[in-house]
Amino acid sequence: MPTYTAPVKDMQFVIHEVLKASEQDIPGYDELDRDFTAAILDEAGKISSEVIAPLNVVGDQEGVTLENGVVRTPKGFKDAFDQLREGGWTGLDCDPEYGGQGMPYILATATGEMFSAANMAFMMYPGLTHGAYSAIHAHGSDEQKQTYLPKMVSCEWTGTMNLTEPHCGTDLGLMRTKAEPQDDGTYKITGQKIFISAGDHDMSDNVIHLVLAKIPGGPDGIKGVSLFIVPKFIVKDDNTPGERNSLSVGKIEEKMGIHGNATCVMNYDGATGYLLGEEHKGMRAMFTMMNEARMGVGMQGLSQAAVAYENALAYAKDRLQGRAITGAENPDGPADPLIVHPDIRRSLMDQKSFVEGARAFGMWGATLIDRAHRKGDKQAEGLISLMTPVIKGFFTDEGYDMTVLAQQVYGGHGYIEEWGMSQFTRDARIAMIYEGANGVQALDLVGRKLASDGGKPAMAFFEEIKTFIKENSDDEDLKAGFLDPLKTASKQLQEAAMFFMQNGMKNPNEALSGSYDFMHLFGHVCLGYMWARMAVASKAALAAGADDRDFYEAKIATGRYYMARRLPACAMHVARITSGADPVMALDAANF
Amino acid sequence: MPTYTAPVKDMQFVIHEVLKASEQDIPGYDELDRDFTAAILDEAGKISSEVIAPLNVVGDQEGVTLENGVVRTPKGFKDAFDQLREGGWTGLDCDPEYGGQGMPYILATATGEMFSAANMAFMMYPGLTHGAYSAIHAHGSDEQKQTYLPKMVSCEWTGTMNLTEPHCGTDLGLMRTKAEPQDDGTYKITGQKIFISAGDHDMSDNVIHLVLAKIPGGPDGIKGVSLFIVPKFIVKDDNTPGERNSLSVGKIEEKMGIHGNATCVMNYDGATGYLLGEEHKGMRAMFTMMNEARMGVGMQGLSQAAVAYENALAYAKDRLQGRAITGAENPDGPADPLIVHPDIRRSLMDQKSFVEGARAFGMWGATLIDRAHRKGDKQAEGLISLMTPVIKGFFTDEGYDMTVLAQQVYGGHGYIEEWGMSQFTRDARIAMIYEGANGVQALDLVGRKLASDGGKPAMAFFEEIKTFIKENSDDEDLKAGFLDPLKTASKQLQEAAMFFMQNGMKNPNEALSGSYDFMHLFGHVCLGYMWARMAVASKAALAAGADDRDFYEAKIATGRYYMARRLPACAMHVARITSGADPVMALDAANF
């Protein structure tokens, strides 16, 4: 059975030595000294390993059941949820006005990776709640905030997002769910929503659904969509759950993975709903949730790669099979451990270099979010807006591939459920799909974010890399192993962006045919940049005589691997992109 | 629910226009005229679509059960198996002396792709039988052949391969199963074997296990391994199943996929076994099965990609979502079909160009096998021996990735089991693992096959490509779109091989650190070569005024896609390979 040990040391390295968080001029960051973050991370790691992770396989095997309208979660889930609530983890970065702990998002990102690595399906219950919290926090009336937020911060009540309908997922303009205005200012919501994660369950006193619906007579398409708060139990004046609303779970979907989460078909039969934000501006409110959710889903991709890698590594050190080609390394044993074999190492290094690189990049992204939210920094907001589809799409694609690599290390044992490696792959698969399938992320990146604000965020990023390279070029070893490859990759990214600019205006297919490759190219440059920064930090620590030389030397070696073995993907992506639209679009649909 | 329509037209194109089978000087190929192959392929297609494919989801959902020692297959499996037997499909390419139809392997390859696409888990029952048939055919005594082969050709009795034990998969030298010689010339087999596909079931009168075991006192390690025939029921003198042998199914594994196949733990408790071939030469006999099985597993990878693509394509044409960025293409409908979107096309073209390229390459490989077996052509034997790990490793890795792409086209519907797309991914996953995990294929390719016979097979392949390019270079359009990229890719492959030669002697890690990339690089060159040949054939057909211009133009367009968008992966693989062993091996195992 897989186990999970949280990467506290690695996170501390990123927070304090790479990002130098406590030196950053972001309100609240001055408190982030080593002891403080260690206390938080250690405690989150402990609950992840001891409370949440042991329920991962349980959730996979038991799944969720629907009987007589009641949704039951797997054994142990409710107790674990209670412990999460009691520890204050559900409101770690929430507004203190509503009972949150008000901590920076960087800590929520780090602990979120741990929790999700320990049990992705379980963590979706508080995860969706947090998204709904954010939407109400940003768009709700004072009364709505007072009514819902304190209970959602504590997860006494949980939340959901209701977007998809059977005939429309990405194209929400086709939505059919109706919201009919009532005399008392409420709306009657009628329609069917599908794929509603954490749609119902037995772990909270109420479920607060955020539902997209159309008010009859409003604008056509996506511009006529509004967002509604539709509680499972209508909240009474004393702020307790009252009458059951007219909504029900139609069925629970059988899925490839995340069996522990209740993916519900939700039926609204004239359910009472309350407008959240303005009429017909539902998408704007929903995007508040979605951007946060997309970052969170990217971190899910990383988290599954991280836990799968951790277990594959342990197996590769433990399992004796074959002999090192250069001579036995465990001559007294019947065979050498798997890790002596170059191809097993190739796989482990692919995993390790992705996981650690993505972890650093995710936390770097979190500092941008903190900078934007806590300081109102528009440049940071633009940059994280640009990076959100990269984090969502690249982390989940790569994260999934890494779970497949980790599974492969186990050979046949990776395929049977007994060893638990299949679950990481099956669970990770959804992250490429939900919150906007990765193709939609690529479209968002190339069709919207890249050129937004006149392309300033992208330029700022290129400039940041350029400056970083310049500032560190004195170190010849760093230059050869890290800065030169980063420079090449960064130029390739710019070349691709230039190709879109020059050709996409005349024919947008020229840009969109390369959008997916661009997302991956961008991701590699981001991780390359992070690895170069981690190398700088590690060299500094070594030069300062750090005790734990092995740790820093391993960082540098892992970074070298990424630069030498992963960044060459950039040239492939550029070649695919610059081959243009013709290979993609030439074939008539009828002739496929 | 997914459906399956066999690609008869595409296979006919490959057999007759690309490979020009009936013109090849291979015994039996003169009979392969268009009408004959059409009759076979049509009939196999029909049984695939109508009989086998409808049981695919059934097998996935019902799985296989073990109760009181009896293994039960899913509803409908036995009837379908009877139909397969009655049609003579199980012995299509088997020796007529034992009741087979004696047809060329190229036809078994084509029909095998169909059957496996329709229902991979189901087809493993006859598939494993065929492997066991081949081993007995090649290494059995006359009596053994007379006893077992006729019943195995007809699949009245099925077969298995027993290699893996709990503590050893790849490293079979660690094997513990014992075979103790008895006075009557038989052996008592004792031990536990795991992951035994089709290990037991209720669809045949007997199961003929081929079991690797060690005769006490023999050489240590892999050199002391012998192969035994261990029937479930000991065959009586009248050639009917008699007494139950001392073997039993310990359990059926829960797996990620191929639920319809019984993956058994087999316990041998002093079971009666008969030596197959010579004492201590078990691996040689087993390799007869393994080479065939590896080719077959490669085709499984392709088959799952093919059926997944077929369904994804249908969905992309049917599902209305969003509008083409260049203007509505279905203005009277609520939205355009998915296939108008460039990124959906990118995905479909990746799938299509792999599936059709791999299909051609697989059948090209089958002609080599026919040439080797039917003509004793040593050069063909060397070449297919070289290509076997490429077909196994590249087809299954790529095939799996294609099922993931196909699943992605469905968005959320791809993740729920209701639509059946998850099954293709879950089933395809095993093909990367069994019959030698793909890392082992890469090791076989670089560590053994590449340099075998002084490197002649590899040189012959490079020479074949060179000659092909030379012969066709007059066509400027062909040259630019196909031959130049093929030339580049072929040179990159040679560059990588040269790197191994120059560095691998001093330090074998230099070669083995790049083995996996080399396998993929090789695969791309092979498919690039096939696409160039298909383009030549298509251009010839168009020049000759063929009726179905759309078909040939689609071939050329798909080939162009492969050359423009997939072959650039070769440069990435070369860069990874030539970065050498250091990035892979530098990190001490303790410091991971």
Side-chain angles (χ1 to χ4, degrees):
Chain A
M1 206 69 85
T3 56
Y4 179 64
T5 306
V8 174
K9 188 174 180 178
D10 197 41
M11 288 176 173
Q12 285 280 75
F13 166 71
V14 173
I15 295 171
H16 299 291
E17 297 175 62
V18 183
L19 301 175
K20 296 188 169 59
S22 63
E23 296 171 25
Q24 290 204 30
D25 57 339
I26 302 172
Y29 269 48
D30 52 330
E31 286 174 34
L32 300 181
D33 63 44
R34 271 187 178 272
D35 290 345
F36 180 74
T37 59
I40 303 272
L41 297 177
D42 281 336
E43 191 55 31
K46 203 171 157 215
I47 192 171
S48 298
S49 301
E50 296 173 9
V51 178
I52 307 174
L55 298 174
N56 198 39
V57 170
V58 176
D60 188 52
Q61 290 178 351
E62 278 190 29
V64 171
T65 56
L66 172 65
E67 259 178 70
N68 303 321
V70 178
V71 177
R72 291 199 196 289
T73 52
K75 200 173 158 187
F77 268 39
K78 188 166 186 325
D79 279 353
F81 205 17
D82 284 340
Q83 290 191 53
L84 212 62
R85 279 190 272 249
E86 282 156 19
W89 295 107
T90 60
L92 192 72
D93 65 328
C94 293
D95 190 342
E97 200 180 326
Y98 305 102
Q101 305 215 30
M103 293 204 191
Y105 191 66
I106 189 172
L107 286 180
T109 300
T111 57
E113 183 202 315
M114 294 179 185
F115 293 143
S116 187
N119 194 329
M120 177 168 152
F122 173 79
M123 286 310 297
M124 291 169 64
Y125 296 98
L128 270 295
T129 308
H130 195 286
Y133 154 89
S134 296
I136 297 174
H137 192 267
H139 302 280
S141 65
D142 282 347
E143 194 195 332
Q144 286 171 336
K145 291 190 205 179
Q146 292 302 339
T147 303
Y148 298 104
L149 294 187
K151 303 280 192 181
M152 293 175 80
V153 166
S154 67
C155 271
E156 284 165 271
W157 300 352
T158 60
T160 73
M161 295 168 66
N162 287 238
L163 290 78
T164 304
E165 299 183 4
H167 61 288
C168 67
T170 301
D171 189 356
L172 292 170
L174 301 174
M175 184 174 295
R176 291 181 192 147
T177 298
K178 271 186 314 193
E180 287 169 302
Q182 306 298 303
D183 293 342
D184 63 357
T186 67
Y187 294 77
K188 289 280 177 222
I189 312 291
T190 304
Q192 188 178 66
K193 294 288 180 177
I194 63 170
F195 304 156
I196 308 309
S197 298
D200 198 15
H201 57 89
D202 53 2
M203 300 191 291
S204 70
D205 299 331
N206 206 353
V207 181
I208 311 305
H209 300 286
L210 297 195
V211 182
L212 283 180
K214 284 187 166 180
I215 300 169
D220 282 345
I222 199 73
K223 288 178 182 159
V225 167
S226 307
L227 185 60
F228 298 89
I229 298 173
V230 189
K232 178 179 173 184
F233 296 103
I234 292 172
V235 180
K236 290 189 293 192
D237 290 343
D238 66 356
N239 232 27
T240 61
E243 194 191 341
R244 183 71 147 86
N245 208 344
S246 307
L247 56 90
S248 60
V249 177
K251 97 180 206 203
I252 293 181
E253 303 286 1
E254 296 288 336
K255 310 182 297 289
M256 184 174 176
I258 52 166
H259 294 156
N261 199 275
T263 306
C264 298
V265 172
M266 296 299 305
N267 294 320
Y268 295 91
D269 305 306
T272 299
Y274 311 94
L275 184 68
L276 178 60
E278 294 173 52
E279 276 192 1
H280 314 316
K281 305 282 188 200
M283 287 312 290
R284 204 169 63 185
M286 196 49 104
F287 267 112
T288 307
M289 291 168 73
M290 281 205 287
N291 275 330
E292 174 185 321
R294 285 174 176 184
M295 172 91 181
V297 171
M299 295 304 290
Q300 284 182 331
L302 159 61
S303 76
Q304 296 306 293
V307 65
Y309 163 66
E310 181 184 318
N311 284 279
L313 173 61
Y315 190 80
K317 288 179 174 179
D318 185 60
R319 173 89 169 172
L320 303 180
Q321 205 78 177
R323 288 292 182 192
I325 191 140
T326 47
E329 297 200 6
N330 175 35
D332 299 333
D336 289 343
L338 283 178
I339 199 168
V340 305
H341 303 300
D343 189 61
I344 294 286
R345 280 176 160 268
R346 183 260 325 156
S347 165
L348 293 172
M349 290 302 288
D350 273 349
Q351 294 171 58
K352 182 177 171 66
S353 64
F354 166 73
V355 166
E356 294 176 12
R359 178 174 294 139
F361 186 61
M363 288 208 271
W364 177 76
T367 65
L368 293 178
I369 292 175
D370 280 328
R371 193 172 282 282
H373 287 182
R374 292 175 169 251
K375 236 191 138 179
D377 183 327
K378 290 288 166 200
Q379 194 180 336
E381 194 178 323
L383 196 46
I384 190 60
S385 175
L386 173 70
M387 293 302 180
T388 297
V390 177
I391 291 174
K392 199 283 185 182
F394 183 70
F395 279 25
T396 60
D397 278 357
E398 285 276 314
Y400 178 75
D401 286 349
M402 297 305 148
T403 65
V404 173
L405 287 183
Q407 192 185 13
Q408 189 77 9
V409 171
Y410 283 69
H413 300 280
Y415 195 66
I416 59 173
E417 296 294 351
E418 188 182 337
W419 288 75
M421 297 304 287
S422 153
Q423 187 187 351
F424 298 131
T425 300
R426 290 184 291 99
D427 286 0
R429 182 70 185 87
I430 188 58
M432 298 157 72
I433 298 174
Y434 61 17
E435 300 306 335
N438 285 356
V440 174
Q441 302 300 327
L443 176 66
D444 180 44
L445 175 64
V446 170
R448 193 180 308 163
K449 301 292 178 63
L450 186 60
S452 73
D453 195 14
K456 273 187 208 149
M459 314 268 234
F461 180 66
F462 296 142
E463 200 54 43
E464 179 168 334
I465 290 182
K466 204 170 148 189
T467 306
F468 169 81
I469 291 174
K470 209 170 191 177
E471 284 171 2
N472 291 282
S473 284
D474 287 348
D475 181 335
E476 279 303 319
D477 174 65
L478 192 75
K479 188 168 176 301
F482 290 88
L483 304 180
D484 289 348
L486 175 61
K487 196 173 183 177
T488 303
S490 175
K491 277 193 179 159
Q492 286 162 332
L493 182 62
Q494 291 175 63
E495 182 191 340
M498 191 63 74
F499 177 85
F500 292 155
M501 275 175 56
Q502 286 169 345
N503 300 281
M505 297 289 271
K506 276 176 297 192
N507 177 3
N509 288 336
E510 293 286 344
L512 299 189
S513 295
S515 57
Y516 211 89
D517 285 278
F518 188 77
M519 181 172 76
H520 276 257
L521 172 53
F522 212 141
H524 280 301
V525 172
C526 293
L527 263 59
Y529 173 45
M530 284 299 121
W531 272 116
R533 286 185 60 171
M534 288 195 277
V536 168
S538 298
K539 281 176 164 256
L542 287 168
D547 286 338
D548 194 357
R549 299 190 70 82
D550 287 346
F551 176 84
Y552 296 106
E553 281 164 4
K555 275 281 166 217
I556 295 169
T558 309
R560 277 191 209 285
Y561 182 92
Y562 198 89
M563 307 314 272
R565 291 243 165 186
R566 298 306 316 279
L567 280 195
C570 295
M572 175 185 75
H573 291 303
V574 172
R576 281 175 64 105
I577 290 165
T578 56
S579 74
D582 190 55
V584 176
M585 305 304 292
L587 193 54
D588 195 80
N591 296 337
F592 262 76
Chain B
M1 204 71 83
T3 57
Y4 179 64
T5 305
V8 174
K9 187 173 180 177
D10 197 40
M11 289 176 173
Q12 286 279 74
F13 166 71
V14 173
I15 295 171
H16 299 290
E17 297 175 62
V18 182
L19 302 175
K20 296 186 170 54
S22 62
E23 297 172 25
Q24 290 204 32
D25 57 340
I26 302 173
Y29 268 48
D30 52 333
E31 287 174 34
L32 300 181
D33 63 44
R34 271 188 178 271
D35 289 346
F36 180 74
T37 58
I40 303 270
L41 298 177
D42 280 338
E43 192 55 31
K46 205 172 155 214
I47 193 170
S48 298
S49 301
E50 295 173 10
V51 178
I52 308 174
L55 298 174
N56 198 39
V57 170
V58 176
D60 188 53
Q61 290 179 350
E62 278 191 28
V64 172
T65 56
L66 172 65
E67 260 179 70
N68 303 322
V70 177
V71 177
R72 291 197 196 290
T73 52
K75 202 175 158 186
F77 268 40
K78 188 165 187 326
D79 280 352
F81 205 16
D82 285 341
Q83 290 190 51
L84 212 61
R85 278 190 273 249
E86 283 157 19
W89 295 107
T90 60
L92 192 72
D93 65 328
C94 292
D95 190 342
E97 201 179 327
Y98 305 103
Q101 305 216 27
M103 294 206 189
Y105 190 66
I106 189 172
L107 286 180
T109 301
T111 56
E113 183 201 316
M114 293 178 185
F115 292 143
S116 186
N119 194 329
M120 179 169 151
F122 173 78
M123 286 310 296
M124 290 169 65
Y125 296 98
L128 270 294
T129 308
H130 196 287
Y133 154 89
S134 296
I136 297 175
H137 192 269
H139 302 281
S141 65
D142 282 346
E143 195 195 331
Q144 286 172 336
K145 291 190 205 181
Q146 292 301 339
T147 304
Y148 298 104
L149 294 188
K151 302 282 192 180
M152 294 175 80
V153 166
S154 67
C155 272
E156 285 165 89
W157 301 352
T158 61
T160 72
M161 295 167 65
N162 288 240
L163 289 78
T164 306
E165 299 183 5
H167 61 288
C168 67
T170 300
D171 188 356
L172 291 170
L174 301 174
M175 184 173 296
R176 291 180 192 148
T177 298
K178 271 187 313 193
E180 287 170 302
Q182 306 297 303
D183 292 340
D184 63 357
T186 66
Y187 294 77
K188 290 280 176 223
I189 312 290
T190 303
Q192 188 177 66
K193 295 286 181 176
I194 62 169
F195 304 156
I196 309 309
S197 298
D200 198 15
H201 56 90
D202 53 1
M203 299 191 294
S204 70
D205 299 332
N206 206 353
V207 180
I208 311 305
H209 300 286
L210 297 194
V211 182
L212 282 180
K214 285 188 167 179
I215 300 169
D220 281 345
I222 199 72
K223 289 180 182 155
V225 167
S226 307
L227 186 59
F228 299 88
I229 299 173
V230 189
K232 177 179 173 185
F233 296 103
I234 291 172
V235 180
K236 290 189 293 192
D237 289 342
D238 66 354
N239 232 29
T240 60
E243 193 190 340
R244 183 73 148 87
N245 209 344
S246 306
L247 57 90
S248 60
V249 177
K251 97 180 205 203
I252 293 181
E253 304 285 1
E254 296 288 337
K255 311 182 295 291
M256 184 174 176
I258 52 165
H259 294 157
N261 199 274
T263 306
C264 298
V265 172
M266 295 299 304
N267 294 320
Y268 295 91
D269 304 306
T272 299
Y274 310 94
L275 184 68
L276 177 60
E278 294 172 53
E279 277 193 0
H280 314 315
K281 305 282 188 199
M283 287 313 291
R284 203 169 64 186
M286 197 47 106
F287 266 112
T288 308
M289 292 170 74
M290 281 204 287
N291 275 330
E292 174 185 321
R294 285 173 177 185
M295 172 91 182
V297 171
M299 294 304 290
Q300 284 182 331
L302 159 61
S303 76
Q304 296 306 293
V307 64
Y309 163 66
E310 181 184 319
N311 283 279
L313 174 61
Y315 190 80
K317 287 179 173 179
D318 185 60
R319 173 88 168 173
L320 304 180
Q321 205 79 177
R323 289 293 184 192
I325 191 140
T326 48
E329 297 199 6
N330 175 35
D332 298 335
D336 289 343
L338 282 178
I339 199 170
V340 305
H341 303 299
D343 189 60
I344 294 287
R345 281 176 158 268
R346 184 260 326 156
S347 164
L348 293 172
M349 290 300 289
D350 273 349
Q351 295 171 58
K352 181 178 171 67
S353 64
F354 166 72
V355 166
E356 295 177 11
R359 178 175 294 138
F361 185 61
M363 289 207 271
W364 178 76
T367 66
L368 294 177
I369 291 175
D370 280 327
R371 192 173 283 282
H373 288 182
R374 292 175 169 252
K375 237 190 137 178
D377 183 328
K378 290 288 165 200
Q379 195 181 335
E381 194 178 323
L383 197 46
I384 190 59
S385 175
L386 173 69
M387 294 303 180
T388 297
V390 177
I391 291 174
K392 198 285 183 179
F394 183 70
F395 280 25
T396 59
D397 278 357
E398 284 277 314
Y400 178 75
D401 286 349
M402 297 305 149
T403 65
V404 173
L405 287 183
Q407 191 185 14
Q408 189 77 9
V409 170
Y410 283 70
H413 299 282
Y415 194 67
I416 60 173
E417 297 294 349
E418 188 182 338
W419 288 74
M421 297 303 288
S422 153
Q423 188 187 349
F424 298 130
T425 300
R426 290 184 290 99
D427 286 358
R429 182 69 185 87
I430 188 57
M432 297 157 71
I433 299 173
Y434 62 16
E435 299 308 333
N438 285 356
V440 174
Q441 303 299 326
L443 177 64
D444 180 45
L445 176 65
V446 170
R448 192 179 309 163
K449 303 291 178 66
L450 187 60
S452 74
D453 195 15
K456 273 187 208 148
M459 313 268 233
F461 180 67
F462 296 144
E463 201 53 43
E464 179 168 335
I465 289 182
K466 205 172 148 189
T467 306
F468 169 81
I469 291 175
K470 211 172 190 177
E471 284 172 1
N472 290 283
S473 283
D474 287 349
D475 182 336
E476 278 302 320
D477 173 65
L478 192 75
K479 187 169 178 299
F482 290 87
L483 304 180
D484 289 348
L486 175 61
K487 197 172 183 176
T488 302
S490 175
K491 277 192 179 160
Q492 285 162 333
L493 182 62
Q494 291 174 62
E495 182 191 340
M498 192 63 75
F499 178 86
F500 292 155
M501 276 174 55
Q502 287 170 343
N503 300 279
M505 297 289 272
K506 276 175 297 192
N507 178 3
N509 287 336
E510 292 286 344
L512 299 188
S513 295
S515 57
Y516 211 88
D517 285 278
F518 188 77
M519 180 172 76
H520 276 258
L521 172 53
F522 212 142
H524 280 300
V525 172
C526 293
L527 263 59
Y529 173 45
M530 284 298 121
W531 272 115
R533 287 185 59 170
M534 288 196 276
V536 168
S538 298
K539 282 178 163 252
L542 288 168
D547 287 339
D548 194 357
R549 300 189 70 81
D550 286 346
F551 176 84
Y552 295 107
E553 280 164 4
K555 276 282 166 215
I556 295 169
T558 309
R560 276 190 210 287
Y561 183 91
Y562 198 89
M563 307 314 273
R565 291 242 168 189
R566 298 306 315 281
L567 280 194
C570 295
M572 175 185 75
H573 291 302
V574 172
R576 281 174 64 106
I577 290 165
T578 55
S579 76
D582 189 56
V584 176
M585 305 303 291
L587 194 53
D588 195 81
N591 296 337
F592 262 75

